[in-house]
Amino acid sequence: GHCMADNPEAYRSRAAVERANADAATLDNVRDRCRRAEQAWTAMADRAERTTEQRLIREAATARRVDVTLAD
């Protein structure tokens, strides 16, 4: 499996947990803290998705370069 550091799904599920915690919270400060945590997990998920995309693009570009070299 993926490590947590590169797994947007894991971040999104954590964000969902925090959103549920916020909805269930009766104290304002608890709700605020959960909302902030939700935003942080969501931001990390977005960043992980961008990183994964860029890596795939880089790997595809590298693979193409290798093909060109072999064709010579």
Side-chain angles (χ1 to χ4, degrees):
H2 274 310
C3 64
M4 179 93 174
D6 203 22
N7 191 346
E9 288 81 17
Y11 294 142
R12 297 231 184 267
S13 64
R14 287 303 304 264
V17 167
E18 295 297 348
R19 190 163 53 244
N21 289 344
D23 291 341
T26 50
L27 299 172
D28 285 345
N29 61 331
V30 174
R31 192 178 305 119
D32 290 346
R33 193 180 64 229
C34 292
R35 293 255 186 260
R36 277 198 303 277
E38 179 197 351
Q39 287 166 355
W41 284 114
T42 301
M44 285 162 67
D46 292 342
R47 199 159 53 236
E49 279 169 358
R50 275 199 303 278
T51 303
T52 302
E53 257 165 47
Q54 284 161 359
R55 194 183 65 236
L56 292 174
I57 292 167
R58 242 193 342 270
E59 284 170 3
T62 304
R64 265 203 304 282
R65 263 204 308 282
V66 171
D67 289 344
V68 169
T69 309
L70 292 175
D72 272 351

